[in-house]
Amino acid sequence: MTFDLFVIPFFGGLLFMIIVLFLKYSRWIAMMDASDRVKAGMAFFSASLPVTIREIFWESLLHRRMFKKNPLLGFMHMSFALGWLLLILMGNLESRIYSGGHINPPYYPIFLKFFIHDKRVLPFEIFTLPGFFRFTMDLLLLFVLSGLGLALFKRARSKWFGLKRTTRHNSFDKWAIISLWLIFPLRLLAESFTAGIYQGGGFLTNSLGHIFAAFLPLKYLVYPSWWAYSSMLGIFFITLPWSRFMHIPTEIVLIFLRNAGIEQGKYPGSFSQIELRACPRCGVCIDVCQMNEAGLTGSSAVYLIRSLREKQAGVFLHSNCMMCGRCLEACPVGIDTLGLRVGARGVDNRQIEADFTYLAKQPVPATKADVVYFAGCMGHLTPGVKNAMIKIFERAGIDFNFLDEDGSICCGRPLKLAGMQTAASKLITENTKAILGTKAKILVTSCPICYKIFNTDYNLNGMQVMHHSVYIDTLVKEGKIVLEPAAFRAVYHDPCELGRGSGIYEQPRNVLKQIAEVADVAQDRENSLCCGGSIGDLAMSAVQRNIIRDGALSILCESNPDMLVTACPLCKKTLDTGNGLIVKDIAEIVADRMTVSIKQTVSRSLAGQMSV
Amino acid sequence: MAKHVVVIGAGPAGLETSAKLSKMGLRVTLVEKEETSGGHLKNWHTLFPGNMPGLKALESIKEGLDENVKIQTNTQVTALEAVNDYFTVSGHNGWQEKADAVVLATGFKLFDARRKEEYGYGIYENVITSSDLETLLAKGNLFSNHKNPARIGFVHCVGSRDEKVNNLHCSKLCCITAVKQAVEVKQLFPETEVFCFYMDLRMFGRHYEELYKEAQEKYNIQFIRGRLSESTEDKEGNIIVKVEDTLLGKPLRIKTDFLVLMTGMEPAAGTKSLTAMLGLKDVSDKFIRPLDEVLQPNFTDMPGVFVAGTCSGPKSVSETLADARSAALAVEAFLKE
């Protein structure tokens, strides 16, 4: 017997899901740029394929990043993913052996215990353990059920899983999650009832069957239980493409495309659509979001992604984010949450037709120098930083041009973050002309916001872009400036755009350690907190910003430091509340603590004699 | 024996309250953290209207003090406790007094203009504050190394009505002070072009509007509506101001010899610490909130503790003195009960 009516809900659901997934993925592939399609096609034959397979194994099955976040959370996700996959694989193998190697219909291994009540030792098992499959299949089922137990426990005690807040679910998710949770207990019941009658199960199902047989009329219950099991599978498959569980197939696709070198692009496209569906709504991004502190709980990455996926309007939700990148850092799936938000803002904010005629008047320095300095808007709003840099250049004897000495046009990053890509591009084009016009080799900037976009969106023909903290570190290492230590204890605040945004963590610390004792901060480097002054948010009030700033300050000042040092003019401005704590930029500290090295004294006095 | 009142803070408000309480036959101890009394008034060149020198005004106020008022200087109040029907007030140096009532006259502090770093105070030599200007006027050496400055700019609302520095309130006196100082500068240097950069001009007091009109018509002072975005220093030490004229809708760059920042008023450190110490209510601006701002401006939530002067919000000297007298009456009424 290889067919029964009860398999129809499962089989129908599975076919339905496969057709829907096929249609959806085909549409996204069709929407892709031709070049991306070529990249994706090539990826099947390139060296990225083993990398992709490895990543799928580690992340989609074992959930390594989830384990790093919290072992219980990792185990919960792993038991569902790996346990279920192994159940399917083992079931297939087992059914093949029974059917003598023939390919069976897909429902056959799933409901094998319904079709086969065989207690014989199979030929294959003679070489392994008697009852190998029965034992293994029960063990795997127990493995999945342990994950289910954890999932239920997580409802009550999410803190044990490292989550203070969990995702609020919509109705599709609720249907899907209820069916998912019922699948495995129903499988257990169906198999136990069957084992209660035929004794064909393993350690778990046989024992349970034995118990059930004692007080339940299994003869009547066994068939409905298989129907129920099959129906739950059917419901799960039918709801999957519209629920959070769409992430199961889509994360695999995302990993593949990402390793093929496909990126989000400037405007939302099919890659974004795939990212939206690769989000499991695990909620890891919710707790790391500092917006919660200011009572803005609805705009975390998970809700952004869901609202985009469900095509809900959400200008306020899109606008309310500091773009600090903490969710990006935390996301176990590696979804570019910031890019998605910028894309959404681009759709919200009509492309403003501003007057760009003033751009043509950008002055280009007349003299040539190897180094060009760009203070940026924020550098100009903190003249202390700008002046410190000039002092440092002069002391190190560096020939430099000050590109925006008389003010300048914006680097374009604030516009880009607001989703105004077209306007940003105009500024980028003009700035590029001015920068390249200096014919310098190194572009030094004081502002991490400018630094970030110089690296990501400017084509500067190989000109090296350096943030001033990195440049100062180089000057110190080359002996061009000598720093004098002072007796104070400082903490260093990692600016979002410089740290998480650009991966620069150590150079500013190296410099600071030459001058002061640097105390540790509980949340630093990748986990650094946003100062609250971010230009990335388009909707927050000053009061809300202050709450976020004060939260960050309390963490930064836990060790009661003498000074708070950062490497971003905006962070410096924001964190300086005038309450007595000294807040300085790394450049200002350096400018204060430079001594003249002997070499410099000699060369300078020689230069003096020559000019006389 | 006459009842005893401790007045904290010997600025105009504390001095006037003490003088009036003493006239009412009460014993007063006036505690001051600094070496001398007088508060901000002793550093202020002239007052408007009437151009009375700050020191002269201070002398007149002090004339009201008599032997019933004991002044305790160099004493920072560190504790104030209500014990049964009296208060114990203690200072950092071990000084302690019992009091039947306490008047908080801890006043304001000027906004630290360095927090608006984009304006360059503390970085560029020729950026000064309104308070610095008064001191220079008092010394009689304003711009002594610049015989004839070509241009001078006054920047209104520095640290007031500015969300970015967490001060939403209007300090209300900076407008008239800027107009007064602009006129004084123009009187000293008739050839100099004087600019005032403002958001709104709040000429609420008697004679204020008239002076503003005179400043424009007689002294040709330029009032430009626009908030300064930033200032830079050129190689000669001039201050280049970037501002948008929001009436003309045009961005401006103006080269000035000096830039004067009209710093606003914030609650003094002592005001803040006493508010916290006593658990008194404040509002977002951190000034003390009286029991009722309209009807009982000198009472607080704590019976026996009163407020006088600018610790409950920005006030001119004349308003401060009126408030101090009102506080004295409130204290007397309370002690009679």
Side-chain angles (χ1 to χ4, degrees):
Chain A
M1 184 180 63
T2 53
F3 180 77
D4 191 282
L5 272 179
F6 85 86
V7 305
I8 289 172
F10 158 76
F11 197 40
L14 183 68
L15 282 179
F16 176 81
M17 181 186 79
I18 289 170
I19 292 166
V20 170
L21 290 185
F22 176 78
L23 290 175
K24 279 182 180 279
Y25 290 130
S26 315
R27 201 176 75 220
W28 294 322
I29 292 167
M31 272 162 62
M32 270 185 188
D33 290 343
S35 62
D36 281 350
R37 266 204 301 275
V38 172
K39 273 189 203 166
M42 298 294 280
F44 281 108
F45 311 101
S46 77
S48 76
L49 194 63
V51 179
T52 302
I53 292 168
R54 214 179 110 88
E55 194 181 335
I56 289 170
F57 176 74
W58 277 111
E59 302 306 338
S60 302
L61 284 177
L62 297 190
H63 289 83
R64 187 170 52 173
R65 288 193 206 112
M66 283 284 187
F67 264 101
K68 278 183 192 161
K69 164 84 189 160
N70 180 288
L72 273 183
L73 197 66
F75 183 83
M76 187 189 99
H77 284 84
M78 183 186 74
S79 62
F80 273 104
L82 186 66
W84 201 358
L85 181 77
L86 289 177
L87 267 180
I88 293 168
L89 292 178
M90 275 292 166
N92 259 295
L93 204 60
E94 191 185 11
S95 72
R96 286 285 183 92
I97 286 165
Y98 274 105
S99 62
H102 295 298
I103 294 171
N104 298 302
Y107 58 81
Y108 187 68
I110 306 284
F111 306 118
L112 188 70
K113 291 284 167 11
F114 177 83
F115 295 113
I116 305 243
H117 314 128
D118 189 356
K119 285 178 285 176
R120 277 175 308 153
V121 175
L122 286 163
F124 177 75
E125 286 185 280
I126 294 167
F127 302 104
T128 57
L129 287 167
F132 169 75
F133 279 111
R134 275 172 277 167
F135 175 81
T136 314
M137 291 299 279
D138 271 13
L139 190 66
L140 288 173
L141 184 58
L142 195 62
F143 181 43
V144 178
L145 286 168
S146 70
L148 176 62
L150 285 175
L152 291 170
F153 184 61
K154 179 169 157 269
R155 296 269 129 180
R157 291 273 185 282
S158 68
K159 274 185 190 167
W160 288 40
F161 295 76
L163 300 169
K164 267 189 248 162
R165 302 175 185 82
T166 54
T167 319
R168 297 187 294 270
H169 293 302
N170 60 9
S171 54
F172 248 111
D173 282 346
K174 281 176 188 157
W175 273 103
I177 206 162
I178 289 167
S179 59
L180 176 67
W181 284 2
L182 286 174
I183 286 171
F184 298 98
L186 285 173
R187 179 180 176 137
L188 180 69
L189 281 184
E191 289 191 346
S192 300
F193 290 167
T194 311
I197 298 170
Y198 304 100
Q199 279 84 42
F203 68 95
L204 181 65
T205 43
N206 257 357
S207 337
L208 276 176
H210 192 70
I211 296 168
F212 288 141
F215 63 96
L216 288 174
L218 293 187
K219 211 163 48 171
Y220 303 105
L221 288 175
V222 64
Y223 191 56
S225 69
W226 284 103
W227 263 99
Y229 171 41
S230 170
S231 305
M232 277 313 132
L233 282 166
I235 294 173
F236 181 69
F237 289 139
I238 290 167
T239 51
L240 180 136
W242 294 278
S243 76
R244 64 202 296 233
F245 299 106
M246 181 66 173
H247 83 93
I248 299 168
T250 316
E251 186 183 350
I252 294 168
V253 178
L254 177 67
I255 292 172
F256 175 79
L257 293 178
R258 205 161 46 202
N259 285 326
I262 297 170
E263 287 167 352
Q264 218 171 37
K266 283 182 181 171
Y267 303 100
S270 55
F271 187 81
S272 302
Q273 292 298 322
I274 288 164
E275 279 188 306
L276 296 180
R277 278 139 189 104
C279 169
R281 295 179 198 160
C282 64
V284 166
C285 56
I286 302 177
D287 279 340
V288 296
C289 183
Q290 288 170 262
M291 305 294 284
N292 293 318
E293 294 170 31
L296 300 162
T297 53
S299 56
S300 313
V302 59
Y303 298 124
L304 168 83
I305 289 171
R306 189 170 72 193
S307 97
L308 288 176
R309 190 176 151 188
E310 291 169 1
K311 297 190 177 62
Q312 291 164 350
V315 177
F316 186 71
L317 192 159
H318 305 160
S319 310
N320 239 326
C321 168
M322 300 184 295
M323 310 294 269
C324 70
R326 283 169 62 80
C327 52
L328 189 67
E329 191 65 38
C331 179
V333 187
I335 297 171
D336 181 2
T337 50
L338 301 189
L340 287 172
R341 200 179 290 268
V342 165
R345 288 176 177 183
V347 177
D348 297 339
N349 301 343
R350 65 193 166 80
Q351 301 293 314
I352 293 170
E353 282 305 315
D355 176 12
F356 289 106
T357 48
Y358 72 97
L359 290 178
K361 294 173 202 153
Q362 292 309 300
V364 174
T367 53
K368 192 180 168 300
D370 282 349
V371 175
V372 59
Y373 175 59
F374 188 87
C377 311
M378 289 312 302
H380 280 285
L381 290 178
T382 51
V385 178
K386 178 181 80 176
N387 284 5
M389 277 314 293
I390 293 168
K391 198 172 153 190
I392 292 166
F393 283 126
E394 285 172 354
R395 177 62 62 87
I398 305 290
D399 198 13
F400 75 102
N401 270 319
F402 191 165
L403 187 64
D404 57 342
E405 185 168 14
D406 294 323
S408 72
I409 53 178
C410 165
C411 67
R413 178 104 176 120
L415 282 169
K416 190 185 169 181
L417 286 174
M420 297 176 180
Q421 195 59 245
T422 316
S425 302
K426 289 191 179 168
L427 301 185
I428 290 168
T429 310
E430 291 307 316
N431 273 324
T432 306
K433 272 190 231 161
I435 293 166
L436 292 178
T438 63
K439 299 196 167 54
K441 295 195 177 90
I442 303 174
L443 168 64
V444 178
T445 180
S446 282
C447 178
I449 302 164
C450 304
Y451 176 72
K452 168 89 179 163
I453 200 167
F454 285 156
N455 280 320
T456 55
D457 288 53
Y458 279 65
N459 180 5
L460 297 173
N461 292 345
M463 189 188 290
Q464 195 182 357
V465 183
M466 290 174 108
H467 181 255
H468 73 225
S469 61
V470 180
Y471 186 70
I472 292 169
D473 187 42
T474 317
L475 290 180
V476 172
K477 283 188 176 135
E478 287 171 354
K480 289 192 174 144
I481 51 174
V482 179
L483 300 175
E484 191 181 28
F488 68 90
R489 209 159 43 85
V491 287
Y492 175 71
H493 165 71
D494 287 288
C496 300
E497 296 274 74
L498 192 65
R500 273 185 300 271
S502 308
I504 291 172
Y505 298 108
E506 299 312 322
Q507 293 94 329
R509 285 185 169 82
N510 291 345
V511 175
L512 188 58
K513 278 176 190 160
Q514 304 251 339
I515 299 168
E517 182 198 332
V518 183
D520 283 336
V521 176
Q523 285 171 279
D524 68 351
R525 294 182 171 84
E526 294 83 0
N527 300 317
S528 164
L529 294 164
C530 176
C531 67
S534 165
I535 52 158
D537 193 285
L538 312 173
M540 235 198 303
S541 74
V543 175
Q544 289 165 326
R545 285 180 182 276
N546 289 346
I547 295 171
I548 288 168
R549 175 201 65 197
D550 293 344
L553 270 174
S554 70
I555 299 284
L556 283 164
C557 297
E558 266 172 358
S559 63
N560 205 12
D562 302 314
M563 195 188 284
L564 172 55
V565 180
T566 186
C568 170
L570 182 54
C571 294
K572 178 196 149 183
K573 241 179 149 351
T574 309
L575 293 171
D576 190 355
T577 59
N579 282 349
L581 175 72
I582 303 170
V583 184
K584 286 202 173 181
D585 188 277
I586 186 77
E588 291 174 292
I589 299 289
V590 167
D592 286 348
R593 305 302 308 171
M594 287 188 296
T595 54
V596 183
S597 68
I598 297 163
K599 205 166 71 187
Q600 284 168 336
T601 325
V602 173
S603 65
R604 240 169 242 192
S605 59
L606 281 174
Q609 282 165 13
M610 285 171 53
S611 64
V612 171
Chain B
M1 198 172 167
K3 293 207 168 167
H4 181 221
V5 183
V6 168
V7 179
I8 304 171
L15 289 166
E16 184 72 4
T17 309
S18 303
K20 294 295 177 256
L21 288 172
S22 153
K23 285 266 177 336
M24 293 164 178
L26 297 160
R27 287 183 302 123
V28 180
T29 304
L30 181 53
V31 202
E32 170 57 46
K33 66 177 189 306
E34 284 178 26
E35 209 171 335
T36 50
S37 61
H40 294 277
L41 186 56
K42 63 179 181 285
N43 306 319
W44 216 252
H45 180 47
T46 55
L47 302 176
F48 181 82
N51 287 335
M52 178 187 276
L55 283 174
K56 204 179 156 204
L58 192 57
E59 268 171 44
S60 313
I61 298 166
K62 280 186 185 171
E63 275 167 20
L65 302 175
D66 56 26
E67 67 287 353
N68 288 334
V69 180
K70 197 170 77 186
I71 300 187
Q72 174 73 29
T73 53
N74 292 318
T75 305
Q76 173 98 46
V77 173
T78 51
L80 200 166
E81 281 172 292
V83 190
N84 302 328
D85 58 344
Y86 62 92
F87 296 93
T88 316
V89 192
S90 324
H92 73 287
N93 47 7
W95 167 87
Q96 202 174 49
E97 282 280 356
K98 279 183 186 176
D100 298 296
V102 177
V103 179
L104 310 180
T106 40
F108 71 96
K109 73 174 165 72
L110 283 167
F111 173 76
D112 180 2
R114 282 172 301 189
R115 287 182 62 202
K116 290 297 283 181
E117 192 177 338
E118 56 268 45
Y119 296 169
Y121 185 67
I123 296 171
Y124 306 138
E125 204 184 324
N126 292 333
V127 178
I128 61 172
T129 64
S130 43
S131 168
D132 297 337
L133 186 83
E134 286 293 327
T135 310
L136 292 171
L137 284 168
K139 284 182 185 162
N141 63 352
L142 180 66
F143 312 143
S144 51
N145 45 1
H146 276 63
K147 277 281 142 50
N148 281 307
R151 258 171 245 106
I152 291 174
F154 286 84
V155 185
H156 291 233
C157 300
V158 177
S160 305
R161 302 177 68 197
D162 186 350
E163 277 199 329
K164 287 185 180 169
V165 295
N166 203 17
N167 283 344
L168 279 174
H169 66 277
C170 167
S171 298
K172 85 179 187 179
L173 295 156
C174 333
C175 275
I176 185 61
T177 306
V179 177
K180 181 206 81 144
Q181 290 184 344
V183 169
E184 283 171 321
V185 165
K186 196 77 182 178
Q187 285 167 343
L188 288 170
F189 304 98
E191 301 302 314
T192 302
E193 276 187 275
V194 178
F195 295 91
C196 285
F197 305 104
Y198 70 95
M199 293 203 288
D200 296 295
L201 284 163
R202 299 196 162 172
M203 295 296 154
F204 64 95
R206 193 171 175 207
H207 307 304
Y208 288 15
E209 188 68 23
E210 291 89 323
L211 184 70
Y212 168 48
K213 203 157 189 267
E214 194 176 298
Q216 296 175 82
E217 290 174 353
K218 183 171 167 194
Y219 293 101
N220 200 21
I221 291 161
Q222 306 277 317
F223 287 86
I224 295 176
R225 196 186 80 175
R227 191 152 207 170
L228 216 65
S229 66
E230 65 190 63
S231 61
T232 49
E233 189 182 39
D234 71 7
K235 290 190 176 62
E236 289 78 42
N238 298 307
I239 305 299
I240 316 289
V241 167
K242 272 201 205 172
V243 62
E244 186 189 349
D245 186 328
T246 54
L247 293 179
L248 294 177
K250 275 192 175 166
L252 301 175
R253 280 168 73 94
I254 300 177
K255 191 203 252 184
T256 62
D257 298 65
F258 291 93
L259 194 63
V260 186
L261 308 181
M262 307 308 299
T263 47
M265 292 161 102
E266 288 182 337
T271 302
K272 279 193 199 166
S273 64
L274 279 167
T275 308
M277 206 187 292
L278 300 177
L280 296 177
K281 283 182 190 154
D282 59 16
V283 275
S284 60
D285 60 13
K286 303 292 173 210
F287 287 102
I288 301 175
R289 187 164 69 180
L291 193 58
D292 187 303
E293 286 188 58
V294 177
L295 298 174
Q296 289 172 305
N298 303 105
F299 288 84
T300 66
D301 313 313
M302 206 170 169
V305 177
F306 300 83
V307 286
T310 54
C311 64
S312 65
K315 289 176 188 69
S316 68
V317 174
S318 57
E319 287 167 337
T320 297
L321 296 177
D323 194 56
R325 289 165 206 136
S326 153
L329 287 172
V331 173
E332 194 203 25
F334 169 78
L335 290 179
K336 266 189 183 161
E337 274 175 17

